[in-house]
Amino acid sequence: MVTLVLEGGAARATYGSGVADALAVAGLVPEAIYGTSAGGAIAAWYAAGQTAVGVTTWDHIVDRSLLSYRRALVRRPILNFSRLYGEMYPNHFGMDVAKLRAAPFPVWVTLADADRAESVYVDLRKAQDPFRVLHATSALPLVSEAPVEIEGRRYVDGGMTDPIPVAKAIEDGHRDIIVVASRVAGERRPEPQIVVRAVGRRFPALREATAQHSALQNAALRLAQSPPPGVRVRLVQPSRDLGVSRLTRDVAKLRAAVEEGRRDGARLAQDLGLVPRTA
């Protein structure tokens, strides 16, 4: 059995949504799923058997109740994840929590402890409030509501400390892994110093993690490309620049990224020997 590791990246994760949907259609039941930030949301949709619904959520990025730069003028986060995860996921999109909890594999979502600068991994199936965990893993400092408190601890976007949790999957004993990255091959660039300073002022413990964010990404990608003996990793990522950034609002570009992911996911399903389901 294979294990899925899903990178986030906000709107860049549209590609991963497409890959996941193709694998789900082909009938892949993974040994486990690890997801960070938007990758955690994709993992949740996968476990709930609703990857097709998850794909449609990206169309709502134009909804100004979810993303509005005007809120920055009154010093409010431009991303309203309280509405996305607290209202739209359970009510508008109808994520099937019962099916998520009944998934036959763990659904590990990465959180970053805002005060300890360490990664925490939560099996979404067992979370008291899975939507709050999804909010926490996506709570990117400066642009969304952050931190998110869960059981007395403060969390922010899991990508701050473990953007691509392939090392965690290997540590947990998985030996056949698919890593779905959000961007084309190549070294990830460091965060601008203005971002490092701004995050550091608000979350002092995360200053170094912010400065090292690209190094963490690059290390994870190198591990995926050169895993330790006895571990097989397939790295799936866009073959070209899809023109999608973290906060892209162009729905046509987002849908195109999803379709690119679906094509690559379908090819991967063939390589895995899976037979797509038919109506």
Side-chain angles (χ1 to χ4, degrees):
M1 296 179 69
V2 299
T3 293
L4 292 179
V5 174
L6 304 170
E7 183 181 13
R12 291 191 184 109
T14 44
Y15 172 81
S17 287
V19 174
D21 190 43
L23 293 176
V25 167
L28 176 66
V29 179
E31 188 172 37
I33 302 183
Y34 292 76
T36 294
S37 193
I42 297 169
W45 288 117
Y46 201 108
Q50 296 174 291
T51 53
V53 177
V55 163
T56 69
T57 64
W58 297 106
D59 287 356
H60 292 264
I61 203 164
V62 296
D63 185 338
R64 294 194 182 278
S65 72
L66 299 178
L67 171 59
S68 173
Y69 291 99
R70 294 178 181 177
R71 283 199 289 267
L73 299 176
V74 291
R75 298 187 177 182
R76 294 174 61 194
I78 64 174
L79 288 169
N80 185 354
F81 283 151
S82 292
R83 173 164 167 72
L84 178 63
Y85 295 116
E87 299 176 24
M88 297 191 73
Y89 264 48
N91 301 323
H92 180 78
F93 299 123
M95 179 175 280
D96 191 334
V97 175
K99 192 168 182 179
L100 164 62
R101 293 195 187 282
F105 49 82
V107 185
W108 295 109
V109 173
T110 311
L111 310 181
D113 189 304
D115 302 303
R116 304 178 189 180
E118 63 185 22
S119 297
V120 174
Y121 304 91
V122 177
D123 184 349
L124 205 60
R125 301 176 304 171
K126 301 177 181 179
Q128 180 177 353
D129 184 350
F131 297 112
R132 191 160 183 82
V133 174
L134 291 176
H135 184 176
T137 191
S138 303
L140 190 65
L142 308 183
V143 299
S144 67
E145 307 101 325
V148 175
E149 187 170 314
I150 300 176
E151 297 181 357
R153 295 177 68 175
R154 304 192 314 153
Y155 297 104
V156 296
D157 189 305
M160 299 290 294
T161 54
D162 194 357
I164 310 173
V166 60
K168 176 61 175 172
I170 294 172
E171 178 186 324
D172 287 348
H174 300 288
R175 294 296 177 261
D176 194 354
I177 300 169
I178 297 169
V179 173
V180 182
S182 300
R183 287 185 271 176
V184 296
E187 289 286 300
R188 306 287 176 87
R189 296 179 180 178
E191 295 289 345
Q193 280 301 308
I194 189 172
V195 172
V196 175
R197 289 193 293 269
V199 172
R201 282 194 296 269
R202 187 170 180 191
F203 302 103
L206 292 172
R207 181 185 177 94
E208 184 62 21
T210 306
Q212 295 299 317
H213 185 239
S214 62
L216 293 173
Q217 292 174 315
N218 292 328
L221 292 169
R222 286 193 294 270
L223 179 60
Q225 293 163 344
S226 300
V231 177
R232 178 180 184 180
V233 178
R234 300 172 179 88
L235 178 59
V236 182
Q237 58 194 144
S239 59
R240 61 186 179 86
D241 186 349
L242 300 178
V244 176
S245 67
R246 283 174 178 162
L247 300 178
T248 293
R249 299 185 67 178
D250 186 326
V251 173
K253 285 185 177 181
L254 299 180
R255 288 177 176 174
V258 167
E259 290 308 314
E260 187 88 3
R262 279 193 173 121
R263 286 191 289 271
D264 288 349
R267 283 192 288 268
L268 175 60
Q270 289 183 333
D271 292 342
L272 293 171
L274 299 172
V275 178
R277 293 193 299 267
T278 57

